[in-house]
Amino acid sequence: MTSDLYLPDECWECIFKFLFKDGDDDDNRCSFKSLSLVSKQFLSISNCLKFSLTIYDPTPPFLCDLFPRFSNLNSLDLRCYYGDLDSLLFQISRFPLNLTSLNFSDQDIFPADGLRAFSKNITTLTSLTCYHLETLNSTHLFLIADCFPLLEELDLSYPVKINYRSNLLDGLEAISLSLFKLRKVDLSRHCYINDQSLFHFINNCKLLEEVIVIFCPRITIACIASAYRKRPIVTVSYSITSEPDDYAIAM
């Protein structure tokens, strides 16, 4: 009787995907956790359906167990990790992961050394999100251009402090030249950006679909209009409102 009621993993996987496709991440996590307690079969299936992992401070010692368990992971969220970010990225780079998305927003540092190690072994990244970093300079931009040429989405918005203002324009140009698959870029509150910077992306990124430049007062309305005429399929989101007072540029 039991064998007559048996469904293969593929069928259960389709059922689980159908049941949870419209839920938010928190609801899905709770639902998968409940299912994993039903049987070893459900545990195995739910593990395969976990595609994203948020890493907290206590997590690193358990990565050697978590990564093999969740074999289909493609997204890592490091926003809630407040330890040594470079060391964590070194550790992650040792695993054979096919990650497509990495988020280390709201961090006090830009983990340059860790990202270099990460990029040497994990070459599948297509989305990098690092908004509201404590500091950002031209070296960071050149590193992104060198290490992640396959990026399709890049979010560098709302840095708290921007250093080495004069070289940042060169860093953005390097990104526009290197990231040939770029479809979406968010540079909100990069108040040094000018019309030429925007046109570097419009001209160099042939697959570009969206540029977000909110609180970038050096970009003119004439430039926005010209961009629409040149690349009408590209959406340019902008604002002429002055930038918030709690951000600063360090010369």
Side-chain angles (χ1 to χ4, degrees):
M1 182 68 177
T2 303
S3 60
D4 292 337
L5 296 176
Y6 176 81
L7 286 177
D9 288 357
E10 292 79 6
C11 292
W12 282 117
E13 185 173 326
C14 291
I15 293 170
F16 292 170
K17 286 181 177 179
F18 176 78
L19 289 175
F20 306 130
K21 65 179 180 179
D22 295 326
D24 61 34
D25 289 340
D26 290 335
D27 288 340
N28 286 346
R29 276 194 292 269
C30 293
S31 299
F32 279 128
K33 184 176 181 180
S34 299
L35 283 172
S36 67
L37 299 175
V38 173
S39 67
K40 289 184 178 180
Q41 183 188 17
F42 281 15
L43 173 62
S44 175
I45 296 169
S46 61
N47 286 344
C48 291
L49 292 177
K50 186 172 181 62
F51 302 110
S52 63
L53 180 66
T54 299
I55 295 180
Y56 299 88
D57 286 351
T59 306
F62 305 101
L63 291 180
C64 58
D65 296 319
L66 291 173
F67 286 149
R69 176 182 172 185
F70 304 125
S71 57
N72 290 326
L73 281 179
N74 56 34
S75 176
L76 286 183
D77 189 340
L78 311 183
R79 287 176 295 174
C80 298
Y81 183 77
Y82 301 107
D84 187 335
L85 205 54
D86 282 301
S87 178
L88 176 63
L89 288 167
F90 272 113
Q91 187 178 353
I92 293 171
S93 71
R94 299 190 182 104
F95 294 91
L97 302 172
N98 292 315
L99 297 176
T100 58
S101 177
L102 178 66
N103 187 337
F104 61 92
S105 302
D106 296 314
Q107 292 287 345
D108 291 337
I109 67 162
F110 186 96
D113 293 336
L115 286 173
R116 287 192 190 94
F118 179 96
S119 67
K120 288 179 181 178
N121 294 321
I122 299 176
T123 59
T124 50
L125 206 68
T126 59
S127 175
L128 181 63
T129 303
C130 38
Y131 61 78
H132 201 251
L133 294 180
E134 181 65 28
T135 184
L136 187 70
N137 63 47
S138 58
T139 303
H140 303 151
L141 300 182
F142 283 112
L143 184 147
I144 291 172
D146 290 339
C147 293
F148 302 107
L150 300 182
L151 287 182
E152 297 178 16
E153 296 187 7
L154 176 61
D155 186 347
L156 293 169
S157 60
Y158 297 98
V160 176
K161 184 181 293 184
I162 299 175
N163 293 307
Y164 308 116
R165 181 177 180 177
S166 60
N167 293 327
L168 284 162
L169 295 176
D170 294 334
L172 287 181
E173 183 178 8
I175 286 177
S176 73
L177 290 168
S178 297
L179 275 53
F180 62 96
K181 289 189 173 183
L182 193 66
R183 296 182 181 276
K184 179 180 179 180
V185 59
D186 191 342
L187 298 170
S188 296
R189 224 294 302 169
H190 285 242
C191 55
Y192 60 90
I193 293 178
N194 55 26
D195 290 353
Q196 185 179 27
S197 302
L198 178 59
F199 267 101
H200 284 321
F201 285 95
I202 296 294
N203 292 327
N204 298 334
C205 302
K206 304 304 182 183
L207 301 179
L208 193 65
E209 297 174 357
E210 183 176 6
V211 182
I212 304 174
V213 284
I214 297 171
F215 297 129
C216 298
R218 293 176 181 267
I219 294 179
T220 65
I221 299 298
C223 174
I224 300 294
S226 180
Y228 275 123
R229 288 193 297 269
K230 186 175 182 64
R231 294 281 301 279
I233 64 171
V234 177
T235 299
V236 181
S237 302
Y238 70 101
S239 170
I240 58 175
T241 307
S242 59
E243 63 176 316
D245 294 334
D246 57 341
Y247 293 94
I249 290 181
M251 299 297 291

